[in-house]
């Protein structure tokens, strides 16, 4: 058969060669059934919920052992669904009013809740819908007395699926999984998160292209570029086999030198830091050689709860992270709620397009009581440490002025209380909105640093939702249009003596390191496991040569041309 190449969205880097195996777990569907004893049905449901809780706790323990505490938190959210009073009240209402079986009441209530989440077109809620569906099927299986289905492979394979739940992903035998090829999802879906943590290449967003993947077909999966090569010839196979061997050796060498600085061949040292989303991820960041934290996402404190955390709760957690990092820099992003990350206690209005609505800094300025509590907690925790505060989703100079005023207000409050706090804290913003990138030269004098969030910036520049499989391939951060925005921001910042970091997925791509170095990026922030490889790559580079390479990429016509050019150099 002739060789064919398909493209999805690179979700977890790495190269794999193997035969395709379609995986589709049977979805349980319970027919309408009645019961004249609601109390007995409720007791049956409670027993099933208790068993489901035990199973999920076992999965969380398995995930913590295999991939780490941060990723195991996915299953903590699953457990919370079992205690959701709104969901349970809906099931109980059906049991009492319609006199149906526990299985039918549970199924109908969960289907409605999943449909409501999926009706809102955003990434966070899509992941929550998958989580809820996962939990719903688990409880339904227990109620029906059906054994849990597990994949048994006789030999390693590339898994092809419409979608995969976290439970399915974590229970696969790692040594039998070469790669994941998924029709749905994006680079921040749960499959992508777990695949990265497990070190398994993954491609998401394949959409209808998945129909061209057949069981037993040999394929090469490139998780960085998002390419699947079907029925490769002998020459192509040999080339990629050599590349796999080289990558394996490179990872081993990189980890050995992970704690050494990323100093280029001509003596230019670059800061390589980690993105973290929970306190538990600090230890892994240090183990992987991170020079600090370039993005501490604080949403974990605000999500999946009935009320916002108070100042003291936040202070204790921020302080523990800063103490663990000692004097290493820690860039803390204030809560990025809204858009794809709603919080029920804020009673936010439903928006037609939440990515363009009240989110990030916009929401923080509307709820300055929450922002003030967070800023006071951060300033208190930062005393004696290298704290930097960063605001997300900023689009104008007016917002920068308002946010800086909020910092001053928090400082004044702490001073009035005779509370000790960090006196010298850098204040920066994320560049995610094209307007902020274009106005970077105007904004730069009023901040201490920029951090470019290429995940959002890319989808705004390309007008392509990275979670929509039909257009996700357009949301490629190596597109020359996106690279030109990055250059614009870096040049504007450097003109005013300010530094620039990048905390999107692009920073952790070793292939992109030469371009970002050539554009003048000061700080690379990424998932901790990529720190050694990026450090290694930067040590191999010369800044003058990198500038020439970066300039050449800016003149290329599209992302595919940029990928091909960089791969030819590598």
């Amino acid at each position: 058969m002739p060789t064919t190449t398909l493209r999805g969205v690179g979700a977890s880097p790495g190269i794999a060669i193997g035969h395709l195996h379609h995986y589709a777990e049977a979805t349980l569907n319970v027919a309408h059934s009645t019961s004249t004893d609601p109390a007995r049905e409720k007791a049956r449901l409670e027993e099933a919920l208790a068993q489901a809780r035990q199973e999920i706790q076992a999965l969380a323990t398995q995930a913590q052992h295999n991939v780490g505490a941060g990723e195991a938190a996915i299953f903590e959210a699953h457990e919370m669904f079992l205690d959701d009073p709104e969901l349970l009240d809906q099931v109980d209402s059906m049991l009492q009013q319609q006199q149906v079986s526990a299985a039918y009441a549970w199924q109908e209530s969960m289907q409605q809740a999943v449909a409501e989440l999926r009706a809102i077109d955003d990434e966070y809620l899509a992941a929550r819908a998958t989580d809820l569906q996962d939990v719903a099927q688990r409880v339904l299986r227990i109620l029906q007395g059906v054994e849990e289905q597990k994949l048994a492979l006789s030999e390693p394979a590339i898994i092809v699926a419409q979608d995969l739940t976290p439970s399915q992903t974590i229970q696969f035998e790692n040594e039998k999984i070469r790669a994941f090829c998924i029709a749905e999802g994006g680079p921040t879906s749960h499959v992508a998160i777990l695949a990265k943590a497990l070190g398994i290449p993954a491609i998401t967003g394949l959409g209808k292209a998945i129909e061209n993947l057949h069981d037993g077909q040999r394929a090469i999966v490139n998780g960085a570029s998002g390419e699947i090569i079907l029925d490769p010839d002998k020459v192509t196979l040999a080339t990629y086999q050599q590349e796999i061997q080289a990558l394996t050796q490179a990872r081993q060498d990189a980890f050995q030198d992970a704690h050494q600085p990323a100093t280029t061949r001509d003596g230019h040292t670059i800061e390589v830091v980690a993105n973290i989303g929970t306190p538990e991820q600090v230890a892994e960041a240090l183990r992987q050689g991170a020079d600090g934290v370039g993005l501490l996402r604080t949403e974990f404190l605000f999500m999946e709860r009935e009320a916002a955390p108070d100042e003291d709760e936040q202070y204790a957690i921020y302080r523990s992270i800063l103490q663990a990092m000692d004097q290493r820099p820690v860039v803390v992003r204030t809560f990025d709620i809204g858009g794809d990350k709603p919080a029920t206690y804020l009673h936010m209005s439903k928006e037609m397009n939440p990515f363009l609505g009240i989110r990030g800094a916009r929401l923080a300025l509307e709820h300055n009581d929450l922002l003030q509590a967070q800023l006071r907690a951060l300033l208190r925790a930062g005393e004696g440490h290298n704290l930097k505060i960063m605001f997300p989703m900023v689009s104008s100079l007016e917002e920068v002025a308002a946010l800086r005023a909020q910092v001053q207000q928090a400082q004044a409050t702490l001073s009035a209380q005779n509370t000790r706090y960090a006196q010298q804290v850098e204040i920066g913003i994320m560049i995610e909105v094209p307007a902020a990138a274009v106005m970077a030269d105007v904004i730069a004098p009023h901040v201490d640093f920029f951090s470019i969030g290429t995940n959002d910036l890319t989808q705004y520049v390309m007008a392509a939702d990275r979670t929509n499989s039909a257009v996700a391939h357009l949301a490629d951060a190596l597109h020359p249009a996106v690279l030109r925005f990055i250059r614009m921001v870096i040049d504007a910042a450097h003109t005013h003596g300010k530094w620039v970091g990048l905390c999107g997925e692009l920073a952790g791509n070793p292939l992109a390191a030469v371009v970002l170095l050539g554009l003048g990026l000061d700080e690379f922030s990424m998932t901790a496991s990529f720190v050694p490889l990026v450090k290694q790559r930067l040590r191999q580079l010369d800044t003058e040569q990198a500038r020439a390479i970066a300039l050449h990429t800016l003149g290329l016509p599209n992302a595919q041309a940029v990928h091909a050019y960089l791969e030819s150099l590598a």
Side-chain angles (χ1 to χ4, degrees):
M1 293 180 65
T3 298
T4 306
T5 301
L6 302 177
R7 179 179 287 274
V9 178
S12 178
I15 295 171
I17 300 172
H19 292 92
L20 303 178
H21 179 93
H22 277 263
Y23 175 81
E25 188 171 28
T27 301
L28 293 175
N29 190 30
V30 180
H32 183 276
S33 52
T34 59
S35 172
T36 57
D37 191 349
R40 187 189 62 156
E41 295 301 320
K42 186 173 182 178
R44 287 187 64 235
L45 177 61
E46 288 176 349
E47 288 177 6
L49 292 173
Q51 183 177 332
R53 187 173 291 106
Q54 291 179 349
E55 291 181 2
I56 291 170
Q57 288 170 351
L59 283 175
T61 301
Q62 181 182 345
Q64 186 161 350
H65 179 266
N66 291 347
V67 296
E71 290 74 16
I74 292 171
F75 297 99
E76 293 175 14
H78 282 208
E79 194 173 349
M80 291 177 69
F81 281 126
L82 300 175
D83 299 315
D84 188 309
E86 187 174 338
L87 290 174
L88 296 178
D89 285 349
Q90 186 174 345
V91 178
D92 191 48
S93 178
M94 282 193 71
L95 291 175
Q96 299 296 333
Q97 296 177 17
Q98 300 183 30
Q99 292 194 328
V100 293
S101 68
Y104 186 76
W106 174 262
Q107 172 184 271
E108 296 302 297
S109 299
M110 295 307 105
Q111 284 181 351
Q112 180 180 336
V114 169
E116 288 174 355
L117 288 174
R118 285 184 173 153
I120 305 172
D121 183 21
D122 67 65
E123 187 172 0
Y124 175 79
L125 292 181
R128 273 181 58 93
T130 300
D131 287 344
L132 182 52
Q133 181 66 30
D134 193 352
V135 174
Q137 283 289 299
R138 179 176 300 281
V139 175
L140 198 60
R141 173 181 56 75
I142 294 169
L143 284 168
Q144 295 294 94
V146 177
E147 287 292 321
E148 189 168 11
Q149 178 183 340
K150 292 188 178 181
L151 177 67
L153 291 171
S154 58
E155 59 182 26
I158 295 167
I159 299 299
V160 179
Q162 186 68 25
D163 198 6
L164 286 175
T165 66
S167 296
Q168 292 163 346
T169 307
I170 201 66
Q171 290 193 86
F172 288 138
E173 296 178 75
N174 294 351
E175 64 275 11
K176 293 285 184 69
I177 306 300
R178 292 274 170 84
F180 293 114
C181 295
I182 311 298
E184 299 179 11
T188 56
S189 65
H190 285 335
V191 174
I193 292 169
L194 291 172
K196 285 177 186 173
L198 293 166
I200 297 173
I203 296 176
T204 58
L206 283 163
K208 291 186 177 181
I210 200 172
E211 297 171 3
N212 297 307
L213 306 180
H214 307 296
D215 272 354
Q217 193 172 16
R218 176 173 274 186
I220 299 171
V221 174
N222 187 331
S225 68
E227 288 182 330
I228 304 172
I229 302 173
L230 300 174
D231 305 306
D233 56 37
K234 291 182 179 180
V235 174
T236 304
L237 272 176
T239 300
Y240 276 94
Q241 285 167 344
Q242 290 175 358
E243 190 165 345
I244 290 172
Q245 292 174 355
L247 280 173
T248 301
Q249 187 62 50
R251 286 193 183 97
Q252 294 172 354
D253 295 344
F255 189 75
Q256 288 180 354
D257 297 331
H259 294 274
Q260 300 302 314
T263 302
T264 63
R265 288 192 288 123
D266 55 332
H268 188 58
T269 299
I270 304 296
E271 201 166 68
V272 180
V273 291
N275 297 339
I276 65 173
T278 65
E280 293 80 9
Q281 292 176 340
V282 172
E284 180 63 11
L286 293 173
R287 190 179 79 86
Q288 295 286 354
D291 299 325
V293 172
L295 171 64
L296 169 58
R297 305 180 183 93
T298 59
E299 290 76 57
F300 71 94
L301 278 164
F302 293 84
M303 307 302 296
E304 308 292 351
R305 55 190 297 162
E306 295 180 3
D310 63 25
E311 180 182 331
D312 288 338
E313 179 186 352
Q314 293 187 64
Y315 164 78
I317 292 174
Y318 301 146
R319 186 71 177 175
S320 69
I321 293 171
L322 286 158
Q323 286 177 335
M325 297 305 294
D326 196 19
Q327 292 304 306
R328 297 177 183 86
V330 177
V331 179
V332 181
R333 183 177 72 186
T334 58
F335 59 84
D336 189 10
I337 301 174
D340 58 342
K341 296 179 284 289
T344 54
Y345 52 82
L346 293 181
H347 307 293
M348 297 167 62
S349 300
K350 186 177 292 187
E351 297 177 295
M352 290 295 291
N353 191 335
F355 278 107
L356 302 181
I358 304 301
R359 58 172 295 201
R362 300 170 184 176
L363 184 73
L365 291 171
E366 284 195 2
H367 295 270
N368 67 331
D369 54 332
L370 291 184
L371 181 59
Q372 280 297 303
Q374 183 173 38
L375 290 173
R376 291 193 301 269
L378 284 169
L379 290 168
R380 287 168 55 197
E383 186 192 18
H385 295 283
N386 192 356
L387 169 69
K388 306 175 195 293
I389 298 175
M390 177 169 68
F391 296 102
M393 193 65 182
V394 173
S395 55
S396 68
L397 182 60
E398 290 78 11
E399 287 176 343
V400 172
L403 292 164
R404 293 210 73 127
Q406 289 288 327
V407 176
Q408 292 169 359
Q409 180 183 334
Q411 292 170 328
T413 300
L414 292 173
S415 294
Q417 296 172 345
N418 292 319
T419 301
R420 295 170 61 177
Y421 65 92
Q423 299 290 324
Q424 302 296 323
V425 175
E426 290 187 26
I427 304 297
I429 67 167
M430 286 192 73
I431 300 290
E432 304 164 276
V433 181
V438 172
M439 297 294 287
D441 59 329
V442 175
I443 296 173
H446 303 275
V447 298
D448 298 306
F449 66 92
F450 291 136
S451 185
I452 302 171
T454 48
N455 298 353
D456 270 338
L457 180 63
T458 301
Q459 73 171 349
Y460 291 140
V461 169
M462 301 304 297
D465 181 356
R466 63 183 184 271
T467 68
N468 182 339
S469 60
V471 297
H473 65 283
L474 298 174
D476 191 324
L478 278 174
H479 194 287
V482 181
L483 296 178
R484 290 184 185 202
F485 270 92
I486 293 172
R487 179 181 66 168
M488 185 189 308
V489 173
I490 293 173
D491 288 350
H494 288 177
T495 297
H496 293 278
K498 307 300 168 68
W499 63 271
V500 182
L502 193 149
C503 57
E505 294 289 326
L506 190 65
N509 183 349
L511 193 69
V514 63
V515 178
L516 297 176
L517 175 67
L519 293 175
L521 190 68
D522 303 293
E523 179 217 66
F524 291 62
S525 189
M526 65 205 67
T527 301
S529 59
F530 299 137
V531 166
L533 278 173
V534 172
K535 277 189 165 185
Q536 180 192 60
R537 179 62 178 140
L538 288 168
R539 294 189 198 105
Q540 298 167 348
L541 300 174
D542 174 272
T543 52
E544 286 302 320
Q545 291 178 350
R547 286 191 189 102
I549 291 168
L551 183 62
H552 182 75
T553 63
L554 297 177
L556 293 173
N558 52 45
Q560 288 76 16
V562 174
H563 279 280
Y565 173 58
L566 295 179
E567 286 167 3
S568 70
L569 296 176

